[in-house]
Amino acid sequence: MDEKLEQQEIAELKQKIARLEETVRELQSLSVIGELAGTTAHEFNNILTLTINYAKMGLRHEDEETRTKAFTKILDASNRAAKIVGVVLGMARNRKQGKEPTDLTALVDDVLMLLEKEMNKYRITVERKFDAIPLVQINANQIQQALINLLVNARQASSQGSRIVVVLRKSKSKGFVEVVIRDYGVGIPKESLPQIFDAFYSTKSGPDETGKGGSGLGLAMCKRIIEEHKGKIRVDSTPGKGTAFTLKLPIAEQNEE
């Protein structure tokens, strides 16, 4: 009887742990969306200012050339605003979607667009090295979360005026593509590398002035997401020279050839 009670208690404890893990995942997802809301609010303020200024210019000048320029600038700014809204709303709406064939190149471009304002603020240059790659079988929302986390980490590790390189390529491992996020910042001490994916372990002293980083949950979340996709995440780092995270993601079945 005691053994049955013990087994029942263990089963109930496992269920509670599973519910807590799901709650943590939900909070992490909402946290990413919250961070983007703050970033995009600043971006929208810039877009609005640009739109108002060009609208005033169009009203002040009656010549066709100036007005055409003003309308073109207003249209470009409006299209950018619509794109940002679409990406953020997509993340909020599709947090629980399943895995499906996804254009990883377009997804990475969307993430870089969302973080463009933040990178510019710290004068970080982002270099794209994108090979032609097939569709991947992923939950786009979850991979966006992982990429945002890794790119923000790379920004935090970099000095102003530095650069971050983002690489997309087919993996040497059959059936996979790779995303590499490489910074040239402070690097990670060798003794810390085995622990960086452990929950609540962080090499940072705390969040930066934007309130990001320092919880020790970001990389643990990334590792969990990638492994749930039957992929792999690897880190290579040299103190003083920078860090590179490599994500392996599975190619969608219809594209494996």
Side-chain angles (χ1 to χ4, degrees), residues 11-51:
E12 290 175 354
L13 182 59
K14 287 182 177 179
Q15 289 178 351
K16 288 180 180 178
I17 291 172
R19 288 196 294 269
L20 286 171
E21 288 179 342
E22 182 61 31
T23 300
V24 170
R25 293 180 189 184
E26 187 75 5
L27 290 173
Q28 287 172 336
S29 175
L30 291 172
S31 174
V32 171
I33 294 171
E35 288 182 2
L36 288 179
T39 300
T40 53
H42 291 292
E43 180 71 0
F44 268 96
N45 185 54
N46 292 337
I47 290 173
L48 184 59
T49 300
L50 181 72
T51 302

Side-chain angles (χ1 to χ4, degrees), residues 52-167:
I52 291 172
N53 288 338
Y54 275 106
K56 288 178 178 178
M57 186 179 80
L59 289 172
R60 283 197 308 268
H61 298 83
E62 296 184 359
D63 62 287
E64 185 176 346
E65 182 180 352
T66 302
R67 287 195 166 186
T68 298
K69 178 182 177 181
F71 288 141
T72 300
K73 293 291 186 181
I74 291 171
L75 179 61
D76 290 344
S78 301
N79 285 335
R80 178 172 174 78
K83 178 70 171 176
I84 292 171
V85 169
V87 174
V88 175
L89 287 180
M91 288 189 69
R93 190 167 48 241
N94 301 323
R95 284 183 293 119
K96 294 185 178 180
Q97 70 183 21
K99 299 179 182 68
E100 56 188 16
T102 302
D103 183 345
L104 187 59
T105 302
L107 187 146
V108 173
D109 274 333
D110 284 346
V111 169
L112 292 176
M113 180 194 66
L114 290 174
L115 294 177
E116 183 178 322
K117 176 68 177 178
E118 178 161 334
M119 296 298 180
N120 289 341
K121 178 181 177 182
Y122 294 92
R123 295 190 291 111
I124 303 294
T125 301
V126 178
E127 297 180 12
R128 293 168 167 84
K129 296 184 178 180
F130 293 178
D131 292 343
I133 57 172
L135 300 179
V136 290
Q137 191 74 17
I138 60 171
N139 177 309
N141 179 268
Q142 292 179 356
I143 298 302
Q144 278 179 323
Q145 290 180 49
L147 292 173
I148 288 169
N149 190 279
L150 292 172
L151 283 162
V152 169
N153 281 357
R155 191 275 296 164
Q156 290 176 319
S158 303
S159 58
Q160 289 203 22
S162 185
R163 65 190 176 108
I164 294 171
V165 178
V166 182
V167 180

Side-chain angles (χ1 to χ4, degrees), residues 152-204:
V152 169
N153 281 357
R155 191 275 296 164
Q156 290 176 319
S158 303
S159 58
Q160 289 203 22
S162 185
R163 65 190 176 108
I164 294 171
V165 178
V166 182
V167 180
L168 287 178
R169 65 194 181 199
K170 288 195 73 172
S171 174
K172 293 180 181 178
S173 302
K174 186 178 179 182
F176 290 88
V177 300
E178 292 181 350
V179 185
V180 182
I181 296 175
R182 171 81 162 95
D183 68 64
Y184 295 85
V186 295
I188 301 170
K190 186 176 180 181
E191 61 272 17
S192 297
L193 286 175
Q195 300 170 274
I196 62 169
F197 294 112
D198 294 345
F200 303 109
Y201 180 84
S202 178
T203 58
K204 303 169 188 172

